[in-house]
Amino acid sequence: MKTSFVVKLSFLILALATKAQLGTSESEPVLDVYGNKVESNLEYKLLEVKNGTSGGFSIHGGTSGECPLDVVQLSSPTERDHYVRLLPFDNSTVVRESTDLNLIEPVWTVGNYNDSLGKWFLTTGGIIGHPGAKTLLNWFKLEKVSVSIYNLVHCPSVCDSCVKLCNKVGIFYVDGVRRLVLVRDDDQPLRLVLFPAPNPSRSSM
């Protein structure tokens, strides 16, 4: 009986220690440009931190035809861009650093490799949720650069056994359009801040 009690007590202590460890290792929340926690039920404008002017992000005819549409950066802040929602893989309300999420405006995804240009372009047409091998290309993360500034990264953790890409997101010019692509660290990845929309219904206006 004593042995059984000791074994049970050992498992209980191990479980509590594991729970405490998981709690302390939880990623920090992503912060918007005002220092507020980014929430999955709100919409945000992504803007690049850089010298000079550039616009937000929108969608544009793809390099291989009109569809799927590519995700692009507008050349001017005066052009009408899109707000996006950021939905974590576990449907959490608070968006956290280095955590898989969908970007919805429609849903961003990594398109097929473009052999002629040697690039993986970000396109649209992904699906929301269902983390796993079949949705691997739909997942992105925000990696902290400094306070309220982030790299957008495609390096999904939703399938441990999958062969996957692991790159930051940057810009590549095609036909005068600034298209989002996967890049190496030395290719100047985008550094982004998040501006909350004036109200959640902005995208339906």
Side-chain angles (χ1 to χ4, degrees), residues 9 13 15 29 71 75 91 119 128 130 141 145 149 183 196:
L9 182 61
I13 293 172
V71 183
S75 59
N91 295 315
K119 297 291 182 183
I128 297 173
H130 304 285
K141 300 175 181 178
V145 176
I149 300 176
V183 299

Side-chain angles (χ1 to χ4, degrees), residues 32-34 38-39 41-46 81-86 194-205:
D32 67 21
V33 71
Y34 303 112
V38 170
E39 298 183 13
N41 58 343
L42 302 178
E43 294 179 321
Y44 296 85
K45 179 185 293 189
L46 305 180
D81 49 17
H82 288 193
Y83 286 82
V84 300
R85 284 183 57 218
L86 299 88
L194 294 86
F195 281 85
N199 59 70
S201 63
R202 171 64 183 263
S203 63
S204 62
M205 291 176 62

